[in-house]
Amino acid sequence: MNDTTPAAGAPQRCGLVAIVGRPNVGKSTLMNALVGQKISITSNKAQTTRHRITGIRTRGPAQFVFVDTPGFQDKHAAALNRTLNRTVLSSLGDVDVVLFVVEAGRFGQPDAKVLALLQAESMQGKPVLLVANKLDTLARRQDVLPWLKQMQERQAFAEFVPMSATREADVERLLGIVEPYLPQQPWLYEEDALTDRSERFLAGELIREKLFRLTGDELPYACTVVIEKFEEEGNLRRIAASIVVERDAHKGMVIGEGGERLKRIGSEARQELERLWDAKVFLELWVKVRSGWADDEAHLRSYGYE
């Protein structure tokens, strides 16, 4: 969406902006706020974002191409985690600007490991902006000032942006801060583009979001969604999807007593997809057990992990 009118003769700017940070720091919420529409799924479960998601915002003469990345993983060595980390590293290689997202007033070992990636030789010369998110959760906002001074000693950040991704004014301010760092070059996408991901991909992601939200901490992270069928018939989408888990016990968690949980996952996903696309959606869900899929490179590739 182009939500401001460019000044006459203003040069076009366009650049790739990576959003990086530890798991559960609010990267996907920030991405959706920056784009102005839900592109990346969110939940309280770690590893919700598993793919490189591109969100596009055109604002006046500037086109921001935001890249939401998985949270960098340092607790498990399974193939899935290695794949997620490769996605983070490959995303950093070709971006113009990096938004390093942390929680305002907090900086722990997982944050330090992400910062170490940004201090690598391959990243030298790229502007890194520190986004101190969740500012609204601080009891005393003045406490953020000494913390910011400590952060400046860790890294010469190009900018410090204390903010809350849930406040529209903060999001607009961040866009204004990022814009001068975008290279002067033609836009990569159409003016009204929002993402480069397909409807099929977004369907799988939204089903997975409902799966995570409705199972809470009961279900281990080793589950995914595979779209088996995606058909368009005018204003109707027919979708068949499988939820893949590692054990029979996990299958029971997803289905729930009398199949109620699976029905709710399907119902909530269908309703959100209908709102997103302004279309009618017919959604069928199954649950399949694939033992060890999260540590099997061939399975990961077949399920769409890069």
Side-chain angles (χ1 to χ4, degrees):
M1 80 187 134
N2 191 332
D3 37 14
T4 60
T5 303
Q12 284 191 340
R13 290 181 178 271
C14 183
L16 271 65
V17 183
I19 302 175
V20 301
R22 63 170 171 80
N24 280 6
V25 79
K27 298 182 300 297
S28 296
T29 298
L30 178 60
M31 156 79 110
N32 293 335
L34 289 165
V35 173
Q37 182 170 313
K38 185 168 183 174
I39 298 297
S40 197
I41 65 172
T42 61
S43 83
N44 291 326
K45 187 183 281 286
Q47 298 177 319
T48 299
T49 300
R50 291 183 177 173
H51 303 272
R52 170 176 166 150
I53 312 290
T54 299
I56 303 152
R57 174 78 172 265
T58 302
R59 182 178 182 264
Q63 186 171 86
F64 305 78
V65 183
F66 293 105
V67 181
D68 186 17
T69 61
F72 194 78
Q73 309 295 319
D74 63 350
K75 293 184 178 179
H76 307 282
L80 175 59
N81 298 82
R82 295 195 299 270
T83 299
L84 301 185
N85 287 348
R86 284 198 299 268
T87 300
V88 177
L89 293 171
S90 66
S91 297
L92 291 174
D94 55 7
V95 300
D96 301 293
V97 187
V98 177
L99 302 183
F100 175 38
V101 185
V102 298
E103 284 190 42
R106 291 184 58 188
F107 189 86
Q109 189 62 26
D111 301 295
K113 291 191 175 184
V114 180
L115 181 58
L117 296 177
L118 304 180
Q119 293 170 332
E121 185 176 346
S122 61
M123 293 296 296
Q124 297 305 308
K126 291 186 179 181
V128 178
L129 284 63
L130 180 73
V131 176
N133 193 27
K134 304 185 181 181
L135 183 65
D136 53 318
T137 63
L138 283 181
R140 300 182 342 137
R141 293 202 176 188
Q142 59 266 38
D143 291 345
V144 81
L145 296 176
W147 175 80
L148 285 175
K149 185 178 180 181
Q150 294 173 7
M151 294 302 297
Q152 180 67 28
E153 293 169 357
R154 292 180 180 273
Q155 163 88 7
F157 293 102
E159 305 276 357
F160 292 98
V161 191
M163 65 172 295
S164 172
T166 59
R167 291 192 71 242
E168 185 177 351
D170 286 0
V171 172
E172 289 299 316
R173 179 166 56 89
L174 178 58
L175 288 167
I177 291 170
V178 172
E179 183 172 333
Y181 291 97
L182 302 180
Q184 290 189 15
Q185 60 182 356
W187 296 340
L188 294 173
Y189 299 94
E190 295 296 322
E191 187 174 344
D192 58 353
L194 292 172
T195 183
D196 65 347
R197 288 294 194 172
S198 67
E199 287 190 353
R200 183 188 186 104
F201 174 84
L202 292 174
E205 288 290 275
L206 277 171
I207 295 167
R208 192 162 58 84
E209 177 187 70
K210 305 312 174 191
L211 171 67
F212 280 1
R213 288 191 172 187
L214 293 172
T215 56
D217 294 329
E218 293 178 55
L219 188 67
Y221 79 94
C223 55
T224 194
V225 173
V226 179
I227 301 297
E228 310 281 5
K229 181 180 75 172
F230 189 99
E231 298 175 349
E232 292 187 46
E233 300 173 9
N235 202 41
L236 172 67
R237 308 289 190 276
R238 294 186 182 274
I239 304 169
S242 296
I243 295 171
V244 180
V245 297
E246 287 203 308
R247 298 179 184 175
D248 286 325
H250 302 161
K251 181 176 181 178
M253 293 176 192
V254 175
I255 293 173
E257 187 174 350
E260 284 304 310
R261 179 173 281 166
L262 183 61
K263 289 177 185 176
R264 188 175 172 194
I265 291 169
S267 176
E268 292 195 9
R270 177 185 57 76
Q271 291 174 40
E272 184 153 351
L273 288 169
E274 288 182 337
R275 288 194 298 270
L276 180 65
W277 297 330
D278 192 23
K280 185 70 175 174
V281 173
F282 180 74
L283 175 61
E284 294 180 284
L285 291 181
W286 292 274
V287 184
K288 295 181 179 179
V289 178
R290 294 289 183 270
S291 180
W293 75 266
D295 204 20
D296 186 307
E297 298 279 0
H299 265 127
L300 288 168
R301 286 192 297 272
S302 71
Y303 293 161
Y305 291 93
E306 300 166 1

